[in-house]
Amino acid sequence: MKEPDSIRKTRRGRVPPEGGPVTMATIGKLAGVSQVTVSRALSNPEKVSAATMERIQEAIRITGFVPNALAGALASRKSCLITALVPSITNVVYSSLLHGFSEIMRAEGYQLMVSETGFLPETEEALIFTHLSRRPDGILLTGIHHSAAARKMLLGAGIPVVEFWDITESPVDCCVGFSHTETGWRTAEMAHGWGYRRAATVSAGDERALRRRDGFANRFAELAGGAEIPGITGEAGPASLQSGRAALARLIDDHGFRGGVIQCSSDQSAHGILTEARVRGLRVPEDIAVIGFGDQDYAAFTDPALTTVRVDRDRLGRAAARAMLTRFRGEEDPERVTDIGFEVIRRGSA
């Protein structure tokens, strides 16, 4: 195959003859084909010959041309883009969920665009609007609670919507996760069965953490004959070791709490309670017992090792990817609710 003269000149460092920004027309001139052929090669490469495709790819490589994917999406009604909204991109819970999801989607030819919503519904609503304006093929959302306006936009978009990290009988499209309330119930039942008769809660202020807190407190109070369950609840946002230390200090100083089990909405705050207990000379689990949530990588290596709730995050992310792919393929009667469950892991802290 003989290279067009224009490509050989560009190899020697000369700019394309027309100058200015590199366009699809530029690529066509360099490759010796029409702009229509370049467009066809980029959108349907199987429709051009191998020799033509090679010349076009070489012209793209030497000029640094980036095709307008959005324009192609408007023509083909397919962008090969999935957008995902998560509360925090630095939280290992969400990053590990996205890892399993994106690995499967990339293998199917899709790319993932991620935005951080925080924990405010109005922020999520604004980002849903922005992401839908990019015409994604599907959208992945954290949780099942969205503003009325956000839900209306999602229903009107006409694309697959997968809500993950939670379940409901009335998802926008489909959901993959587990019951946060049930994790609280189960943890309370197990703690009571282990012999604890006093309990307290330490929770972040986001709605999923609050459902875990309330599930635990209500069920434990019921099992313990109406015992009072003191609680420390923080702002909506990620928990931390520092917030856990401060919470235990308040439980002890303000409520005189001792000799019971503390249910935490995250392993981070539970780790903080372990730290504060050590500073105060308290024995764990004899004086204070602690149960976390999330089974982070460090949970088995704290001193003592942390009792916690484990959710298989990689499995959850992959299940969400399969749910979305099922909808892309138009399979009949796809599963709307996928409950992957959870497991309470008992270790030395309780």
Side-chain angles (χ1 to χ4, degrees), residues 24 51 77 90 102 105 117 140 152 181 189 271 273 289 326:
M24 199 176 294
R77 302 188 65 82
T90 59
S102 62
M105 299 309 296
T117 63
L140 181 71
K152 184 176 181 180
T181 300
E189 291 170 351
H271 191 192
I273 287 174
T326 294

Side-chain angles (χ1 to χ4, degrees), residues 35-74:
Q35 181 176 336
V36 172
T37 300
V38 175
S39 177
R40 185 180 300 117
L42 294 174
S43 58
N44 297 286
E46 71 280 0
K47 293 185 178 181
V48 300
S49 69
T52 298
M53 192 67 193
E54 186 177 348
R55 293 202 306 275
I56 291 171
Q57 289 176 336
E58 177 66 2
I60 289 173
R61 187 188 68 78
I62 62 179
T63 58
F65 175 67
V66 178
N68 186 338
L70 184 57
L74 292 174

Side-chain angles (χ1 to χ4, degrees), residues 279-313:
V279 169
R280 289 174 175 253
L282 299 175
R283 299 169 301 159
V284 178
E286 292 84 0
D287 298 324
I288 295 287
V290 187
I291 302 175
F293 176 87
D295 195 26
Q296 304 291 352
D297 292 343
Y298 58 80
F301 303 100
T302 58
D303 183 22
L306 186 61
T307 296
T308 187
V309 177
R310 175 187 294 165
V311 177
D312 191 333
R313 298 187 295 271

Side-chain angles (χ1 to χ4, degrees), residues 27 61 93 100 114 146 148 178 186 191 247 281 288 313 342:
I27 299 301
R61 187 188 68 78
V93 168
V114 182
H146 320 287
F178 59 97
R186 182 85 58 83
I288 295 287
R313 298 187 295 271
F342 58 88

